[in-house]
Amino acid sequence: MLFPFIKKFSTDQKNLTKILKEVKVINSIEETLHSLSDDQLKMHTESFRNRLTNGETIVQIRPEAFAVVREASRRVLGLRHFDVQLIGGIVLSEGSIAEMPTGEGKTLVASLPSYLRALEGNGVHVITVNEYLAKRDRELIGQIHEFLGLSVGLNLPMMEVPEKRAAYAADITYGVGSEFGFDFLRDNMTFSEETRVQRPFHFALVDEVDSVLIDEAKTPLIIAGKTDVHANLSNLSAKLVKSFKEDKDYLYDVQTKSVSFTEEGIERIELFFSVDNLYDLEHQTLYHYMLQALRAYIMFKRDVDYIVSNGKVLLIDMFTGRPMEGRTLSNGLHQAIEAKEGLVVTEENKTQASITIQNYFRMYPTIAGMTGTAKTEEKEFQELYQMNVTQIPTNKPIIRKDLEDQIFDTIDAKYKAVSKKVKEIHATGQPVLIGTTSILQSEKVAEYLKKEKLNFEILNAKSIQQEISLISLAGQKNAITVATNMAGRGTDIVLGEGVAELGGLYVLGTERHESRRIDNQLKGRAGRQGDPGVSEFFISIEDDMFIRFADEELVKLQKKVKSDENGLITNKAATEFVSRTQRICEGANYGMREYNLKLDNVLNEQRQTIYKLRDQLLFGDEINQTFLRLIKDLPEHEIAYFFDRDGTIEVKDLAVLHKVLSSYMPTEDIPVWEMVVSEDDVLKAVLPKVDQYLVEVDSLLERATEKEQLRLYLIQVVDQHWLRHMESMERLKEGIGMRSYAQEDPMRQFEREALELFKLMTYSLERDIAIEVGKLIQHHQKVTRGDV
């Protein structure tokens, strides 16, 4: 058998058996390609394209295409793909996730499916987790593709439009996922085709797919514009919430990390600001500021979620511990944190466009991904993206030892044991990588290591260049490295001379993460490519995860546990408690992502409708039809609004209806306004006039000047109404969680009220358009008569 250790991947055995047959075909072609000249090898690209044009499929040409990429890589980079890398490439080309442990060469694997799918001529997007990796992969793997005649682009923030258009026009485009999403939003805010940068979506290949599509998907992509902020209101709100008490003035759900005011809290706000009813529409802004102040006070911790540097709030990337320069929270939350810290309150970011990571990537017809850890989240990948996870066998068997957790009764006992263990290992010269979950925790570990007079390096909040240097040194003798999340670092920890004989890299985790997957990422830093290594977790039942997700069970456990003189718990029940709590935590986080996605799905349908309308106005040849369709239905909507359910109308309301219709169409000779009539009577009288009016509109739109004037006006109107609608939706989201207390289904309520808001926006939009068209027609008539 090709891989004798493949048996442990039993769930993927059937799929892998089929793939192995294709790998043998690729291997059989290899010898023939060795004898070709460079020019002869390059000619395959055009040949493959012609074959696809003539009806062959991607699957049919895949063995030859992969063999060509392997040979090109051998010539250009001196790297020949392992057979397991070919397996990974086949899985990716089919739109699945290839789970490949650290050190298995995922970067080189990506060269195979990206070349294959680029032959279709519709563009391939290779997504990385940071700009450094995007540049590195483009420079490295791009050499293979350019050698074979493909164009390779790099999409980075702050690039000018011509540069971005060129990057997207390339056969293969590298970049960070969020920037692709922001470009999509910006494209749907532009006023001309020339300033659009993206092509229609085709194939996306996502590196560290679990980090990008799950971890980072908690936060939507938002484009915001600056707007005036009520600095005084921010400061007053911050001052008031600092006096609030949990369960008395507000409720905090630690699992979902959401806050809400109690009735007593509401009364205190009303008294403080001298308002009668905080829930009144006129006090919506005040409610919003108070809620953001409470979120800033309760949910955002200094030196965990953000740091204060030179009078500025810098957000922290929870996955790497790096400050995120230039990134701010929207809808006044950033300003609420500034007020909380007593800083100068800056201008507020007002959402102009937004989309969740999930809904952005679901627009790609095919999406594939690579990671060292995805199997535990396979259900979520299947449900959201229709992607299966295939575990790829390693090139060499993994011989790393994963030891059982050491569980302590207190956090202090845990850190003392960590520093003692590190000192013990360090004395042998074996390198140690200490994994932490936050900056705060890494600094805590550092304090204990200093007491033991140990020299170490901390890997957080540093530049990429320092980071790469530190990671590359982490496998050398006597090295001690403290690091926050290790996913997506993009650099392998290579063992120094003589380290293998010492047992390889010793990975020591100091807290269980909220997902087994992230724990596995940390473990995977040891034991690459058959290296020896060890992983072990030192945890405490006082760790944050257990307090947040199992506080009641924790109290019961603390009464039963037995520990030795060092605080080490000996009960097996503690191990079961840890595993159970972690699963509960994973379920809660999945539930939160699912809930937020359901909320955005409602907005996503509306977003697609508006963006489609915008495209019709911007690029559509049949703009006349778009105008006529928007204007035609409005009179019926107006009439229906004025009539009661039984089809009657008051005389006084008839006059108002007449005035409303007159604002955008001629109604002088409609003879029904002086008597009480039925809705049908009014419709019979008005609709013929509407048809006549539409003829005038159509005639007006034949004039190029007026058409272009209306096109630009209408796009602006659409944008204005959509911005206001998004703000209304944001406020609706803020209050929807309270509906559960009234024994209502919050999601159903949200869907119903969101639809009402969208109908209201559409009606208002139609009306503004009709009025503007009416003005133009009246002006044109005056010009024709010589009145102006």
Side-chain angles (χ1 to χ4, degrees):
M1 189 177 179
L2 195 56
F3 302 106
F5 46 92
I6 205 173
K7 290 174 186 173
K8 68 176 180 175
F9 299 96
S10 56
T11 54
D12 299 317
Q13 178 71 57
K14 190 175 178 183
N15 190 31
L16 286 171
T17 301
K18 186 182 81 171
I19 291 172
L20 285 172
K21 291 178 182 175
E22 188 169 336
V23 170
K24 287 180 181 177
V25 175
I26 298 168
N27 288 336
S28 70
I29 302 169
E30 186 172 17
E31 196 63 40
T32 310
L33 297 178
H34 284 341
S35 60
L36 298 181
S37 68
D38 283 359
D39 286 341
Q40 288 173 319
L41 188 65
K42 293 174 183 179
M43 286 170 63
H44 278 84
T45 297
E46 195 57 37
S47 171
F48 291 144
R49 281 175 164 160
N50 290 335
R51 286 164 62 181
L52 288 171
T53 302
N54 293 327
E56 284 194 60
T57 66
I58 283 293
V59 174
Q60 286 173 313
I61 69 166
R62 184 166 60 196
E64 294 169 78
F66 276 25
V68 166
V69 173
R70 179 194 252 179
E71 178 62 20
S73 176
R74 189 183 67 80
R75 296 185 189 190
V76 176
L77 301 180
L79 298 172
R80 176 188 175 275
H81 296 74
F82 297 133
D83 286 357
V84 291
Q85 291 174 311
L86 297 177
I87 295 173
I90 292 168
V91 167
L92 292 170
S93 69
E94 294 175 343
S96 293
I97 293 172
E99 183 178 276
M100 304 181 73
T102 298
E104 291 296 305
K106 290 191 286 290
T107 304
L108 192 60
V109 171
S111 65
L112 299 161
S114 53
Y115 172 79
L116 179 70
R117 299 304 301 258
L119 294 171
E120 295 170 286
N122 299 315
V124 167
H125 295 170
V126 182
I127 311 295
T128 62
V129 292
N130 60 51
E131 289 178 37
Y132 164 76
L133 292 179
K135 290 176 187 172
R136 185 202 69 178
D137 293 358
R138 186 257 171 270
E139 289 167 8
L140 182 69
I141 304 304
Q143 294 178 58
I144 302 171
H145 296 138
E146 287 175 333
F147 173 84
L148 291 172
L150 297 183
S151 55
V152 185
L154 180 63
N155 177 37
L156 297 175
M158 309 306 291
M159 283 170 58
E160 296 296 326
V161 167
E163 293 176 289
K164 276 190 175 284
R165 283 177 71 91
Y168 278 111
D171 295 309
I172 299 169
T173 309
Y174 285 85
V176 181
S178 57
E179 188 62 17
F180 285 90
F182 286 133
D183 285 338
F184 165 74
L185 294 175
R186 282 189 285 261
D187 273 359
N188 283 286
M189 296 169 67
T190 188
F191 282 86
S192 72
E193 193 164 5
E194 290 69 36
T195 51
R196 275 200 154 179
V197 298
Q198 289 187 336
R199 292 194 279 167
F201 298 117
H202 174 54
F203 180 81
L205 175 55
V206 185
D207 192 13
E208 300 297 346
V209 67
D210 51 341
S211 288
V212 175
L213 297 190
I214 290 181
D215 297 331
E216 293 180 14
K218 292 174 184 174
T219 308
L221 302 174
I222 295 172
I223 289 180
K226 297 295 183 185
T227 185
D228 290 338
V229 68
H230 303 280
N232 193 41
L233 187 51
S234 291
N235 290 323
L236 286 171
S237 299
K239 180 181 177 182
L240 180 56
V241 297
K242 283 179 182 176
S243 67
F244 277 17
K245 301 287 187 293
E246 188 172 357
D247 296 328
K248 182 184 177 189
D249 300 302
Y250 68 88
L251 302 171
Y252 176 45
D253 187 329
V254 292
Q255 290 193 13
T256 61
K257 289 191 174 180
S258 60
V259 292
S260 59
F261 293 110
T262 62
E263 285 302 316
E264 192 169 340
I266 294 292
E267 287 172 10
R268 285 192 65 187
I269 296 168
E270 289 170 345
L271 184 65
F272 186 85
F273 287 100
S274 301
V275 300
D276 293 331
N277 184 357
L278 186 62
Y279 291 117
D280 276 353
L281 204 59
E282 62 182 301
H283 301 312
Q284 200 175 52
T285 299
L286 173 59
Y287 175 77
H288 170 68
Y289 270 72
M290 281 302 304
L291 190 61
Q292 297 298 56
L294 185 64
R295 284 171 173 159
Y297 182 61
I298 303 301
M299 293 162 53
F300 288 82
K301 304 297 181 191
R302 184 167 176 164
D303 295 331
V304 175
D305 302 295
Y306 64 92
I307 58 173
V308 176
S309 175
N310 298 322
K312 291 196 305 181
V313 170
L314 293 179
L315 300 176
I316 297 297
D317 184 333
M318 65 176 288
F319 305 111
T320 63
R322 303 186 196 111
M324 297 188 286
E325 286 286 349
R327 290 284 290 273
T328 60
L329 297 163
S330 62
N331 290 319
L333 189 50
H334 206 84
Q335 287 66 33
I337 296 172
E338 290 170 333
K340 166 191 170 183
E341 295 293 343
L343 304 173
V344 174
V345 178
T346 58
E347 288 179 301
E348 184 179 335
N349 284 329
K350 202 77 163 182
T351 299
Q352 293 183 314
S354 73
I355 191 170
T356 59
I357 292 283
Q358 295 99 321
N359 277 326
Y360 171 72
F361 279 105
R362 289 198 296 190
M363 290 189 293
Y364 285 88
T366 310
I367 180 171
M370 310 180 292
T371 180
T373 47
K375 203 67 177 176
T376 56
E377 312 292 346
E378 184 168 27
K379 181 188 173 190
E380 188 166 351
F381 281 119
Q382 287 171 336
E383 288 180 355
L384 287 184
Y385 306 101
Q386 288 75 56
M387 299 165 77
N388 295 316
V389 178
T390 299
Q391 292 175 305
I392 310 300
T394 52
N395 188 47
K396 294 178 181 177
I398 295 173
I399 60 171
R400 182 187 68 240
K401 294 177 185 173
D402 294 326
L403 304 178
E404 287 189 9
D405 294 350
Q406 301 291 305
I407 307 173
F408 296 86
D409 54 4
T410 66
I411 288 177
D412 180 60
K414 174 184 74 172
Y415 286 133
K416 282 178 178 173
V418 165
S419 55
K420 184 180 176 185
K421 183 73 172 181
V422 173
K423 188 174 184 179
E424 186 183 300
I425 298 164
H426 181 64
T428 71
Q430 186 177 7
V432 185
L433 174 67
I434 304 168
T436 66
T437 58
S438 69
I439 289 179
L440 212 58
Q441 201 199 1
S442 62
E443 288 174 350
K444 195 75 176 170
V445 170
E447 289 174 20
Y448 282 82
L449 294 178
K450 283 173 185 173
K451 288 176 186 175
E452 296 290 346
K453 297 183 169 54
L454 293 167
N455 294 320
F456 56 90
E457 294 285 354
I458 291 190
L459 182 57
N460 63 31
K462 292 181 180 288
S463 72
I464 294 291
Q465 285 72 26
Q466 288 172 303
E467 185 177 292
I468 300 309
S469 169
L470 288 175
I471 293 173
S472 63
L473 294 172
Q476 303 303 306
K477 271 187 182 179
N478 299 307
I480 301 173
T481 309
V482 182
T484 50
N485 191 295
M486 288 298 296
R489 296 288 184 177
T491 302
D492 291 334
I493 298 177
V494 180
L495 300 185
E497 192 176 337
V499 170
E501 289 73 21
L502 296 172
L505 181 67
Y506 201 110
V507 171
L508 203 160
T510 56
E511 196 169 312
R512 280 285 182 184
H513 291 81
E514 293 188 4
S515 166
R516 288 165 292 166
R517 178 173 46 79
I518 303 176
D519 291 339
N520 291 337
Q521 288 169 359
L522 180 60
K523 290 178 184 179
R525 286 292 154 177
R528 64 177 287 281
Q529 284 293 330
D531 285 341
V534 183
S535 78
E536 188 174 21
F537 276 77
F538 281 49
I539 59 179
S540 155
I541 58 174
E542 289 183 345
D543 288 345
D544 184 56
M545 182 172 73
F546 307 118
I547 294 167
R548 278 182 60 205
F549 290 91
D551 54 340
E552 291 181 10
E553 281 192 67
L554 179 59
V555 172
K556 293 175 187 173
L557 181 70
Q558 285 171 325
K559 292 174 183 175
K560 293 191 293 184
V561 294
K562 295 175 184 175
S563 54
D564 63 17
E565 67 277 8
N566 297 315
L568 181 66
I569 295 173
T570 53
N571 306 53
K572 277 196 173 181
T575 305
E576 293 165 4
F577 167 75
V578 169
S579 298
R580 189 166 57 251
T581 305
Q582 195 171 36
R583 285 195 299 273
I584 291 168
C585 182
E586 286 174 340
N589 285 336
Y590 171 71
M592 190 162 59
R593 289 193 299 270
E594 185 181 43
Y595 177 72
N596 287 333
L597 182 60
K598 281 181 179 176
L599 290 177
D600 191 69
N601 282 343
V602 176
L603 186 61
N604 197 45
E605 287 182 33
Q606 299 175 357
R607 183 190 297 116
Q608 288 173 350
T609 302
I610 290 295
Y611 284 0
K612 186 178 177 183
L613 170 61
R614 213 177 180 280
D615 281 353
Q616 288 170 346
L617 296 169
L618 202 55
F619 311 116
D621 296 328
E622 300 297 324
I623 193 168
N624 292 34
Q625 297 306 314
T626 304
F627 275 108
L628 294 172
R629 177 172 52 79
L630 287 169
I631 295 167
K632 183 178 180 180
D633 297 335
L634 184 61
E636 281 191 66
H637 294 165
E638 303 272 27
I639 292 164
Y641 175 80
F642 274 86
F643 277 83
D644 294 331
R645 287 186 178 180
D646 61 358
T648 60
I649 188 171
E650 297 291 330
V651 175
K652 58 183 175 59
D653 291 332
L654 276 170
V656 178
L657 173 57
H658 184 267
K659 188 176 180 181
V660 167
L661 291 173
S662 299
S663 66
Y664 56 82
M665 62 175 285
T667 54
E668 296 85 358
D669 55 346
I670 297 176
V672 295
W673 302 110
E674 301 306 323
M675 56 185 176
V676 177
V677 290
S678 71
E679 187 174 350
D680 282 344
D681 288 338
V682 176
L683 286 169
K684 284 173 187 173
V686 171
L687 292 185
K689 299 300 295 181
V690 173
D691 292 336
Q692 291 172 27
Y693 176 60
L694 291 175
V695 171
E696 289 189 63
V697 173
D698 198 27
S699 173
L700 174 76
L701 294 173
E702 290 305 315
R703 298 162 60 89
T705 306
E706 278 79 358
K707 182 189 286 191
E708 192 56 31
Q709 183 181 342
L710 274 173
R711 183 202 295 267
L712 291 174
Y713 169 78
L714 187 48
I715 292 171
Q716 289 174 338
V717 170
V718 168
D719 288 349
Q720 289 165 4
H721 282 273
W722 178 239
L723 286 176
R724 284 201 293 268
H725 178 68
M726 280 198 297
E727 189 174 349
S728 300
M729 290 288 284
E730 199 60 42
R731 299 291 184 267
L732 181 60
K733 267 196 251 183
E734 282 180 351
I736 206 68
M738 296 297 290
R739 308 303 172 89
S740 56
Y741 297 114
Q743 296 182 333
E744 294 180 84
D745 178 358
M747 191 55 65
R748 191 167 293 175
Q749 280 287 101
F750 181 76
E751 287 173 356
R752 186 166 64 243
E753 293 186 30
L755 180 60
E756 288 304 314
L757 283 173
F758 191 69
K759 282 180 179 176
L760 192 63
M761 182 204 70
T762 306
Y763 162 74
S764 182
L765 178 63
E766 288 171 350
R767 202 155 179 282
D768 281 0
I769 294 162
I771 289 170
E772 186 65 18
V773 172
K775 286 178 184 174
L776 272 174
I777 288 175
Q778 288 167 21
H779 177 74
H780 179 56
Q781 288 171 341
K782 287 178 181 177
V783 170
T784 304
R785 292 194 304 264
D787 294 346
V788 291

